[in-house]
Amino acid sequence: MTGQSLCQRDICFYLNKQAYSFEQFSADIHDARQVIRQTDADSVLLFHQSSYQFSVGFFALALEGRHIVMPPNAQQQTLMHIALQCQATLGDIKVDGLDAINVALIDTPLINTTLINTNSIAGHDVIAAQIQPLQNRTDLFTPLDCQITFFTSGSTGQHKPIVKQFSQLNCEVDVLINTFTARLDASQLLLSTVSHQHIYGLLFKLLLPLKSGLAIVNDTFEYPEHISQLLTEELGDKLTDDNRQTALLISSPAHLKRLSLDNVLMANKAQLQAVFSSGGPLPFEIAKTLFKQLSQAPIEVFGSTETGGIAWRQCQGTTPSAWQVFPDISYRVMAETAQLVLTSPYINEANYVTEDRVQRIDEQHFEMLGRADRTIKHEEKRINLDHMERCLLQHVLVNEMRVIVLDGVKKQVLAAVVELTAEGQALLNEQSKKSLNDSFKQHLLSEFERICLPKKWRYPAQMPFNSQGKLVIKELEKLFD
């Protein structure tokens, strides 16, 4: 392959500002497969902070037909609990009692590779490997007998295993490509603020770009300033303003809410072909703000680890848009509870009953009504915690908040965790915590009886979102210990 024939679509990853070609990626997978064949471990615990190194391990295991077990984090307690069903580990984790598959995953170019210089890819060297065990990206998606075990984010503190077939993930990637073809074709780079260890990150940060031809920037970005810097300087320094690389951004409501407060990506909005959001509900006001700032609203994807993708929407009007179900998915609504019931190729059982309440519009569209499992009976009153949170989020001093239920000695207690705005934090410093509590209670009394109000209040500097952009109940409960 010559430098002239090597085009943008040949690049799979940008790692440490270095472009990695598909040949290099496939060579690393080939080498990893050789090591994996020396072990008889059927189930392998896979975790790596680097998306590139994770991907090498993932596809090597998949192509060897091994069962891939993906822990949601690298906390030792989590690993020990999940490791009971595994025989080995792969990645940057160690678990007592399990063999480690030592794959020589790289951070820098291999010394026996050929460096190809081309100005068409922002002046970066591209690594072209000598061996080509896989001919093209399509070959990555051939495993038929591989299973992947995910774990729910643990919002209740318990990690529930969810087993998926590789074929189900491949099917979902094809649907995403067909649904968002125009945006994918117009993009060159894939940037992400979410972890690949969860199903949303795996599908959108890794599998979707690898199959559709995008180059994945290896980093998991925590700050939007770093995204802007990368688009403006690091990957665009040798290009004109009109020729800078275009990108898709994969994110979550937590990141997008912070972005909307000081949107440094407005300078790069011409490069952003789409912004995806999943992992939780994106407030409509945030979608409207981002629409004004970026000239496009985020594409919200509704789904879960259990169900895979269910529906999507993009709110670019004055009222929230309806959710549109993805192709090959049918739904109905339970008359008694308004719960969403699904039949989907991504779910092993038909008529899967979710905890989401919806209102039917037509066969392809519905409106979300909230979670069925967030309606509780408290002091003999039925309270919807989503409704209470929406009400309090309208207060000018509230930036983010959650209402949780604590188990008291004699009865359950409602507790509120509130991340204050700068104005709210200043007021907390000037006045007593009690006066702030009373102000919020007075606000809630417009819609709730006094007996239903939270009894305990905490004001952390920042809400403890995890790498998936979700709040873990156990972490919130610790604030009341």
Side-chain angles (χ1 to χ4, degrees):
M1 181 179 289
T2 65
Q4 287 72 27
S5 65
L6 190 62
C7 65
Q8 174 69 35
R9 298 298 178 181
D10 292 308
I11 301 172
C12 281
F13 283 87
Y14 279 102
L15 174 60
N16 296 331
K17 304 180 186 179
Q18 175 72 50
Y20 280 65
S21 70
F22 177 77
E23 287 128 314
Q24 178 66 63
F25 185 46
S26 63
D28 289 340
I29 293 172
H30 176 269
D31 292 346
R33 292 177 70 177
Q34 297 290 352
V35 177
I36 292 169
R37 286 178 181 177
Q38 299 175 26
T39 176
D40 57 0
D42 291 324
S43 296
V44 179
L45 195 64
L46 173 64
F47 185 95
H48 208 294
Q49 295 284 358
S50 165
S51 292
Y52 181 85
Q53 296 177 343
F54 172 90
S55 298
V56 170
F58 179 87
F59 283 105
L61 290 168
L63 290 163
E64 290 302 308
R66 307 302 171 95
H67 180 184
I68 301 171
V69 180
M70 291 176 49
N73 57 61
Q75 299 297 319
Q76 200 59 220
Q77 186 176 0
T78 301
L79 297 178
M80 291 300 294
H81 173 71
I82 295 174
L84 298 175
Q85 57 184 290
C86 301
Q87 294 85 46
T89 65
L90 194 159
D92 55 0
I93 54 172
K94 292 183 179 180
V95 178
D96 291 341
L98 293 186
D99 294 331
I101 300 176
N102 295 311
V103 174
L105 300 174
I106 59 175
D107 282 315
T108 55
L110 296 180
I111 58 174
N112 64 344
T113 58
T114 302
L115 297 180
I116 300 173
N117 294 310
T118 171
N119 291 330
S120 66
I121 49 176
H124 288 279
D125 293 327
V126 176
I127 304 166
Q130 302 299 317
I131 60 173
Q132 299 181 25
L134 300 172
Q135 297 303 311
N136 52 56
R137 292 173 183 246
T138 304
D139 291 346
L140 293 170
F141 295 85
T142 56
L144 299 176
D145 300 324
C146 173
Q147 288 186 331
I148 301 101
T149 295
F150 298 93
F151 291 83
T152 56
S153 60
S155 59
T156 62
Q158 300 298 319
H159 296 294
K160 177 184 175 183
I162 307 294
V163 180
K164 298 280 185 177
Q165 301 293 327
F166 186 92
S167 58
Q168 290 176 309
L169 301 181
N170 190 23
C171 174
E172 185 163 0
V173 170
D174 287 339
V175 167
L176 293 173
I177 290 174
N178 291 333
T179 303
F180 305 113
T181 298
R183 295 172 176 89
L184 291 166
D185 287 347
S187 303
Q188 297 164 294
L189 301 175
L190 192 291
L191 312 173
S192 178
T193 69
V194 300
S195 167
H196 51 251
Q197 291 290 149
H198 305 275
I199 191 168
Y200 171 48
L202 179 67
L203 284 169
F204 279 79
K205 184 181 182 180
L206 298 182
L207 301 187
L208 176 62
L210 283 172
K211 195 165 190 179
S212 60
L214 276 64
I216 301 164
V217 177
N218 188 63
D219 310 69
T220 299
F221 293 92
E222 184 174 354
Y223 301 106
E225 293 84 357
H226 296 164
I227 296 175
S228 180
Q229 181 182 8
L230 181 141
L231 288 172
T232 304
E233 302 172 9
E234 295 178 4
L235 295 183
D237 55 354
K238 293 195 176 182
L239 303 176
T240 66
D241 287 343
D242 294 334
N243 227 3
R244 284 183 178 153
Q245 298 191 62
T246 54
L248 298 182
L249 175 60
I250 309 303
S251 195
S252 68
H255 283 92
L256 293 178
K257 186 167 186 177
R258 291 196 295 271
L259 174 65
S260 70
L261 299 176
D262 181 19
N263 198 332
V264 297
L265 295 183
M266 286 191 289
N268 309 101
K269 66 180 182 180
Q271 293 171 269
L272 290 175
Q273 299 304 302
V275 178
F276 287 88
S277 175
S278 192
L282 180 70
F284 177 58
E285 291 302 317
I286 302 301
K288 285 202 302 183
T289 299
L290 291 170
F291 180 40
K292 293 177 182 177
Q293 294 170 340
L294 300 176
S295 300
Q296 62 174 315
I299 297 173
E300 302 170 57
V301 178
F302 167 50
S304 68
T305 308
E306 294 89 340
T307 64
I310 298 171
W312 68 281
R313 71 175 183 178
Q314 190 174 26
C315 296
Q316 300 197 147
T318 56
T319 58
S321 302
W323 290 94
Q324 178 176 335
V325 298
F326 284 110
D328 302 325
I329 293 176
S330 60
Y331 82 94
R332 63 182 179 86
V333 182
M334 292 182 66
E336 305 84 4
T337 62
Q339 284 174 263
L340 178 67
V341 182
L342 296 171
T343 298
S344 166
Y346 319 138
I347 307 174
N348 295 327
E349 59 186 273
N351 296 315
Y352 180 87
V353 181
T354 74
E355 291 296 333
D356 299 289
R357 298 171 58 249
V358 303
Q359 179 175 324
R360 186 182 188 276
I361 296 176
D362 57 38
E363 289 185 357
Q364 298 298 315
H365 300 86
F366 58 78
E367 177 186 346
M368 288 290 300
L369 300 178
R371 295 279 294 180
D373 54 359
R374 299 214 74 204
T375 299
I376 65 168
K377 198 165 187 179
H378 180 70
E379 300 289 356
E380 304 304 319
K381 306 287 185 181
R382 292 183 66 82
I383 305 171
N384 185 274
L385 301 184
D386 286 335
H387 180 199
M388 183 173 287
E389 290 171 358
R390 285 194 300 269
C391 180
L392 203 51
L393 282 168
Q394 294 173 3
H395 197 289
V396 294
L397 301 181
V398 176
N399 185 42
E400 182 65 76
M401 69 90 54
R402 286 294 184 277
V403 177
I404 61 175
V405 180
L406 301 175
D407 291 326
V409 177
K410 295 183 178 180
K411 61 181 180 180
Q412 63 182 12
V413 177
L414 282 190
V417 181
V418 181
E419 178 186 309
L420 299 168
T421 62
E423 182 183 353
Q425 192 63 51
L427 199 62
L428 178 63
N429 295 335
E430 295 170 3
Q431 302 179 12
S432 67
K433 176 185 170 185
K434 183 179 183 303
S435 64
L436 201 59
N437 295 352
D438 291 342
S439 174
F440 291 143
K441 289 178 181 179
Q442 191 63 39
H443 179 78
L444 288 173
L445 283 173
S446 64
E447 297 194 43
F448 297 90
E449 296 180 51
R450 185 172 294 277
I451 198 173
C452 300
L453 302 185
K455 298 293 192 295
K456 295 187 176 183
W457 299 77
R458 294 292 184 273
Y459 301 103
Q462 196 170 48
M463 297 291 274
F465 288 100
N466 66 11
S467 60
Q468 199 183 6
K470 291 189 174 184
L471 288 171
V472 180
I473 296 298
K474 289 294 183 183
E475 294 301 315
L476 297 178
E477 291 175 345
K478 290 179 182 178
L479 298 174
F480 297 90
D481 290 344

